[in-house]
Amino acid sequence: MRRPALLLLALILAAPGETLRGTVVDAAGQPVDGARVRLRASQTVVLTTPDGRFALADPAAAPGGEITAARAGHIIGGVTIKDTVFDYRIQLPAIPAGDDATYPWVTAFPDDDQAPGTDFGREPCGACHRRILAEWQESAHARAAANRRFLAFFDGENRVSFKHGNPEADGGCATCHVPMASGNHPRQATGVAGEGVGCDFCHKIAEARPGEGAATGVRAVELRRPPFGRQIIFGPFDDVPRGRDAFAQVFAESRYCAACHQARVGGIAVYSEFEEWQASRFAGDGITCQSCHMRSDGRATTMSDLGPGRIRREPRTLSSHRFHDTLSPGFLADAIGLTVTARADGDAIIVEAEVANRGVGHHFPAGSPMRHMLLVVSAEADDAALPMTEGPTLPAWSGASLEGRPGRAFAKLLADGERRQPSPPWRAATLASDTRIAAGGRDRSTYRFRHDRPGPAKVSARLLIRRTFPEWAEAADLDTAEIVAARASVVVQR
Ligand code: HEC
Ligand code: HEC
Ligand code: HEC
Ligand code: HEC
Ligand code: HEC
């Protein structure tokens, strides 16, 4: 009488979702320890034991699906699930040894006439990855080599530029701004190198070692360019078994970005988002640069719009290549706060302003020390400005139109050997001051205005971010590219 019950149990165990077992081996047939095994596009991952064995139980496993395996240093492998196989063998092809500096970089931009074929090796990345191409084109990375501000401050005919004081040197600028260039001079960037921080460059990075010595950009990463006739693409996914993709953990880590977004020159942290992030709560919470700047749009369901081997994926597992910045809609507004309160005090009004860094993963404003932010506060009544009698004012470097006005300035200010400030990074001798707001921090300031006119007073505050100081912009024939990051106002009745 007990047999039917046992039979039923056996049937349940053999139903879809049964445990898949097998071995992962390398190109020489040797077992691979610690390989990541998963049912392609599903969320469960198991690691192989020292003898290369795995046992994967995933309720979604069904014939026709794929099991993939990945391990750093190997190309991703995979097999198709069949109901006749009980012991799988997954082989991981080897990554070609070394880095071949003669490798010709592949362009991002598809040729209009060219239909994507099956030549995986040299086809433009954007021919298939159309959404990603469009996102990247909107990002600063796509302009890194041709950005007119970069070029003006690299070798423009102006007293601020790097070349002005160092006609013979290259400053290592190309290592980050033009990493695919064969030489060190940004103006010599031709062909694909002119695409700046491009697809193929970023996806040839196997490992990043920021902060080791003074190496920056291309010199702070380990590139693995394949020899002629081969292709290899590094990425964050361990389940792309097309025979040329390799999983690299570093893609999901902040130190990947740090290769270019962290640099000290003569002890001064010129580019510092990485070390600021490390000191913030975001580092401890596992919220990386990618979590914010490459946050998925929540809609895309494929990483590629064309090409064999593409599958549907959960939108949240994909990322945006917009590399969100202050110009991305909502990005700034969600992360910062500006509030003003005001009250009457006899024939005066007292204004309190607060600027909060709520969700920026590092100091705010971020970026190169040429950048700065200004809080400009004003009060008016009866169509006339009220005079401030007590409170902070904006410094001379805010420019003629704002100098001396009520407000606060936030910047990392460098000084040169003669203590002149601000100094461009390439002539800096010391860090003069850093008034930016750290992650989670806030700045409060108080102002007293004389309210000597009839009617209610209106208090307004605006937060401006500029890409460079007005004086330098003028010297280089640029504008400051000022944006209004936030506004607030309040009315005080008499
Ligand atoms: C600055 C370096 C950088 C550039 C430039 C870049 N990528 Fe990426 N890419 C990354 C990183 C980092 C990730 C991983 C993001 C994550 O884990 O959230 C990624 C992920 C991907 C993925 C995996 C799918 C996904 O949504 O995460 C694909 C496909 C991809 N990139 C293709 C491209 C293409 C095509 C281009 C050029 C149009 C490009 N990348 C340019 C760094 C870069
Ligand atoms: C012929 C079309 C095609 C071209 C050209 C192409 N890709 Fe892809 N790529 C794909 C498909 C399809 C996938 C797999 C999609 C999936 O697994 O969902 C993919 C996957 C990827 C991944 C994920 C790999 C991983 O393990 O994380 C990256 C990164 C990537 N491509 C970058 C590039 C770059 C960089 C180029 C240009 C050098 C490029 N691709 C050219 C079609 C293409
Ligand atoms: C090869 C060097 C390199 C790597 C790697 C790199 N970046 Fe960048 N990034 C740059 C350069 C250079 C610029 C400035 C481009 C310009 O404005 O001309 C830049 C600009 C940016 C900007 C816009 C800044 C602005 O002023 O508008 C953001 C945001 C950004 N990067 C985020 C990231 C993130 C996140 C990562 C890691 C996933 C990353 N970057 C990896 C070199 C790099
Ligand atoms: C918690 C989310 C978050 C994290 C984590 C984060 N950032 Fe940011 N980042 C922001 C926001 C929001 C801004 C816009 C405010 C600003 O410009 O300072 C920003 C600004 C920037 C800018 C300047 C963009 C511009 O338009 O001026 C750069 C460059 C940058 N981040 C790089 C990085 C790097 C590199 C990392 C990792 C070490 C990182 N960020 C981590 C949210 C984040
Ligand atoms: C360690 C990598 C690295 C090196 C080396 C480097 N930069 Fe940058 N640069 C960046 C990054 C990352 C940004 C983006 C952050 C930002 O916009 O402030 C940037 C931004 C800039 C900007 C602001 C662009 C804008 O549109 O606001 C200028 C100007 C600039 N760099 C000039 C130079 C010059 C000149 C040199 C050489 C003397 C140089 N950089 C060397 C990484 C680097």
Side-chain angles (χ1 to χ4, degrees):
M1 278 316 285
R2 293 172 64 186
R3 287 192 73 119
L6 266 181
L7 198 68
L8 193 65
L9 190 67
L11 279 172
I12 291 168
L13 287 176
E18 109 189 62
T19 302
L20 305 164
R21 292 171 206 282
T23 312
V24 177
V25 296
D26 65 13
Q30 293 303 306
V32 178
D33 177 14
R36 301 160 64 92
V37 180
R38 78 164 81 225
L39 177 69
R40 190 166 180 213
S42 115
Q43 297 312 304
T44 334
V45 67
V46 295
L47 299 182
T48 53
T49 54
D51 56 355
R53 298 288 300 166
F54 67 86
L56 176 68
D58 194 311
E66 284 169 284
I67 318 171
T68 60
R71 177 90 165 85
H74 301 272
I75 287 178
I76 300 166
V79 287
T80 302
I81 301 173
K82 296 197 176 102
D83 49 13
T84 49
V85 179
F86 297 99
D87 197 19
Y88 292 91
R89 184 181 156 91
I90 305 178
Q91 191 154 34
L92 307 186
I95 290 178
D99 174 41
D100 187 341
T102 66
Y103 169 84
W105 297 107
V106 172
T107 175
F109 297 102
D111 189 333
D112 283 341
D113 314 328
Q114 187 191 351
T118 46
D119 171 17
F120 274 14
R122 309 276 332 144
E123 241 185 308
C125 314
C128 298
H129 296 284
R130 294 187 173 171
R131 166 185 57 86
I132 296 180
L133 173 72
E135 291 165 349
W136 169 78
Q137 277 187 273
E138 289 262 300
S139 81
H141 288 149
R143 292 186 297 271
N147 180 341
R148 64 199 171 88
R149 278 182 294 268
F150 165 60
L151 292 173
F153 290 127
F154 172 66
D155 68 354
E157 300 276 323
N158 62 74
R159 65 188 158 75
V160 186
S161 83
F162 170 80
K163 279 281 185 187
H164 179 76
N166 311 274
E168 304 304 324
D170 60 51
C173 317
T175 63
C176 299
H177 285 266
V178 201
M180 294 186 280
S182 47
N184 287 323
H185 199 298
R187 299 264 182 199
Q188 287 156 4
T190 50
V192 183
E195 295 173 16
V197 182
C199 314
D200 202 16
F201 176 79
C202 275
H203 288 285
K204 286 289 176 290
I205 296 176
E207 192 44 272
R209 300 196 173 79
E212 281 177 25
T216 53
V218 62
R219 298 184 194 135
V221 296
E222 184 186 321
L223 292 178
R224 296 295 292 270
R225 289 166 286 183
F228 181 76
R230 298 283 307 268
Q231 184 52 293
I232 175 163
I233 306 274
F234 291 89
F237 284 80
D238 60 14
D239 63 349
V240 184
R242 302 179 308 152
R244 66 160 195 181
D245 300 276
F247 167 70
Q249 181 74 46
V250 72
F251 275 81
E253 296 178 8
S254 288
R255 66 197 166 88
Y256 178 94
C257 315
C260 302
H261 288 269
Q262 178 68 40
R264 285 183 169 265
V265 180
I268 304 169
V270 171
Y271 296 107
S272 50
E273 286 91 29
F274 180 64
E275 61 181 55
E276 291 157 10
W277 169 84
Q278 279 181 309
S280 79
R281 73 169 169 89
F282 296 102
D285 292 349
I287 298 170
T288 61
C289 317
Q290 291 87 332
S291 315
C292 296
H293 289 280
M294 299 186 77
R295 188 167 54 202
S296 128
D297 66 5
R299 292 189 303 271
T301 54
T302 53
M303 27 170 123
S304 178
D305 306 277
L306 287 165
R310 63 193 267 276
I311 53 168
R312 283 180 79 84
R313 293 177 180 270
E314 277 282 321
R316 67 182 161 79
T317 64
L318 300 173
S319 49
S320 166
H321 278 65
R322 171 63 182 83
F323 296 97
H324 297 292
D325 56 32
T326 45
L327 299 178
S328 300
F331 189 61
L332 196 57
D334 289 349
I336 64 163
L338 168 64
T339 42
V340 281
T341 55
R343 63 189 158 88
D345 181 27
D347 64 351
I349 53 170
I350 297 174
V351 176
E352 292 192 3
E354 183 184 277
V355 184
N357 178 341
R358 290 190 273 118
V360 184
H362 36 73
H363 283 35
F364 167 60
S368 110
M370 303 195 115
R371 194 90 22 111
H372 61 277
M373 179 166 78
L374 303 172
L375 169 68
V376 189
V377 181
S378 62
E380 58 165 53
D382 188 28
D383 285 335
L386 302 179
M388 183 176 80
T389 54
E390 230 181 290
T393 54
L394 295 174
W397 53 256
S398 313
S401 65
L402 292 177
E403 179 183 357
R405 298 266 297 269
R408 292 274 288 158
F410 306 92
K412 185 201 286 177
L413 280 193
L414 311 180
D416 68 12
E418 275 112 55
R419 302 205 181 160
R420 279 183 305 233
Q421 51 171 284
S423 156
W426 34 93
R427 281 199 269 291
T430 52
L431 171 69
S433 62
D434 188 351
T435 51
R436 296 171 308 140
I437 308 173
R442 54 193 67 231
D443 176 84
R444 292 196 182 93
S445 51
T446 308
Y447 310 79
R448 191 180 179 91
F449 290 89
R450 192 164 59 235
H451 191 177
D452 52 5
R453 308 195 60 101
K458 185 183 178 201
V459 177
S460 310
R462 63 203 151 100
L463 204 51
L464 309 175
I465 298 182
R466 293 164 165 179
R467 292 212 159 234
T468 193
F469 300 101
E471 192 195 328
W472 294 354
E474 198 179 323
D477 203 15
L478 295 165
D479 57 35
T480 60
E482 178 180 289
I483 59 163
V484 181
R487 284 180 197 279
S489 64
V490 61
V491 173
V492 194
Q493 300 296 338
R494 270 260 233 216

